[in-house]
Amino acid sequence: MRKCLPFFSLFSGALLLTSTLTAQQADRFAYAVTDIQQGGANWSFLRKINLQNGEYSQVLLSGNDASLLAYNATTRKQFEAPLQDSRFGTYVNAAFATGVAAMAYDKKNNRLYYTPMFIDQLRYIDLKTMKVYYVTDQAFTGKPVKSSDQGNIVTRMVIASDGYGYAMTNDATQLIRFTVGKKLSITDLGTIADDQANKGVSIHNSCSSYGGDIIADDAGNLYVFSARNQVFKINLETKVATHLGTISGLPNGFTVNGAAVTNDNKVLVSSAMLASSYFTVDMKSLSATPYTIAGTVWQSSDLANGNLLNTGTQAKGNTVELISRNTEPNSGDGKIAIYPNPVTNNQFAIQFNELEAGQYTIQVTDVMGRQVLQQIVSVAGEKQIQTVRLNASSSKGVYLVKVTDHANRSVYNTKIVVQ
């Protein structure tokens, strides 16, 4: 089998958006990371694009200037001396040192959060003052040395509907969550699992799924646009990626590197490879339509604004029907609980709390409705625990767990993620 080797330009994209907005309050702009000259690949210059007329601004921040001292995000004080790095020396002081491909716009606090590609650090720009702040007391991914296949580089970032920032490595083995506002906290949520219905298109595959960008919707989901133009929907509750399809209508050589939701509920995509091409993507059909840029067309490694994709579940107005394989959980009135979830080692436990004594049936099905396990248990007392072991060959992904009583009435159902 031919081995697919990722290359740098695939990964120079990432980012996006936002806070809770209605369609009437939608941002009519997006921030973009570009070079200072057309055709270049020095992703160190911040611009702004007007989504109404497609016109780019002049450079708002020159992120390659290592002589400017940044500010400590914890103390809010300017560093007294230049920072030093064993690999990059004092160049680490440059705001966009080593290039940026992951950026998210925090509308509430008027900040741009981002991370340099080869420096393991969360940073942000205060857009009121244009001062740059570095989070130096917490590592971002915890992996300062980037792998040769660039799998552990962060190229996707967004602020979701829950108000948290999320970032993802190229190989999707780390979903990083961070708080915004006064007190910053960074948490590694772990790996993303593939939906069993993905038919071999894995979120972890370097050939199809590295690089690109992330947007968020108003229903608690993320959408990954990979550099190879594949689209995945990620449920933040289950951390499962469902492959939605491939964007159609893009020219040969186009790699999606930036993505931002427009005010008419489409997704603007930019490329770090083709300077002359911008497109809007319809999320229902995943079809691309050419978008006209006024004036100079800049290649961009990332786009970011404050818009959430409107799914029609949180607000009226422009709506789009999006694929969902989720089911609403039934808590069982707190009398049944499952742990751990996500499931490791193909084994989990069901705890029965003060449930009426009798015989119950545990059923586990995959997302296609196929039964993978049925187990009968006799509940006789309080806080009884039953271990459930899935077949060792069971695929990773989402499963549905249902518990029924002796009359075949459902008393509990929920989702589990097998990792």
Side-chain angles (χ1 to χ4, degrees), residues 16-30:
L16 177 61
L17 314 49
T18 98
S19 65
T20 53
L21 301 174
T22 65
Q24 289 75 19
Q25 298 170 318
D27 288 341
R28 299 175 183 270
F29 63 85

Side-chain angles (χ1 to χ4, degrees), residues 36 44-46 59-66 68 94-96 130 132:
I36 194 63
S44 300
F45 299 88
L46 181 68
V59 172
L60 304 177
L61 177 72
S62 296
N64 65 345
D65 188 349
L68 298 177
F96 283 10
M130 298 307 291
V132 184

Side-chain angles (χ1 to χ4, degrees), residues 397-411:
V398 177
Y399 291 82
L400 306 180
V401 178
K402 182 179 182 180
V403 178
T404 57
D405 63 13
H406 67 280
N408 202 32
R409 294 172 299 198
S410 175
V411 295

Side-chain angles (χ1 to χ4, degrees), residues 10 18 27 57 62 68 84 93 117 173 187 245 256 275 294 300 314-315 323 351 405:
L10 272 181
T18 98
D27 288 341
S57 73
S62 296
L68 298 177
Q84 293 284 342
N93 292 275
M117 280 187 283
T173 60
T187 305
V256 173
S300 177
Q314 300 295 323
I323 297 172
Q351 181 171 309
D405 63 13

Side-chain angles (χ1 to χ4, degrees), residues 346-391:
N346 290 83
Q347 179 176 304
F348 61 92
I350 299 182
Q351 181 171 309
F352 299 93
N353 301 312
E354 301 179 358
L355 201 64
E356 181 181 345
Q359 193 174 77
Y360 293 84
T361 301
I362 301 168
Q363 293 177 314
V364 180
T365 59
D366 64 20
V367 292
M368 303 303 291
R370 295 170 297 200
Q371 183 173 293
V372 298
L373 179 144
Q374 179 168 301
Q375 186 171 325
I376 297 175
V377 57
S378 294
V379 175
E382 297 181 2
K383 295 185 179 180
Q384 180 173 327
I385 297 175
Q386 179 68 36
T387 299
V388 179
R389 294 181 176 86
L390 299 176
N391 193 297

Side-chain angles (χ1 to χ4, degrees), residues 280-309:
T280 56
V281 177
D282 181 281
M283 285 300 292
K284 186 174 181 179
S285 62
L286 294 185
S287 59
T289 303
Y291 177 86
T292 302
I293 296 292
T296 304
V297 182
W298 295 98
Q299 293 170 223
S300 177
S301 65
D302 201 42
L303 298 174
N305 69 7
N307 295 338
L308 294 169
L309 190 69

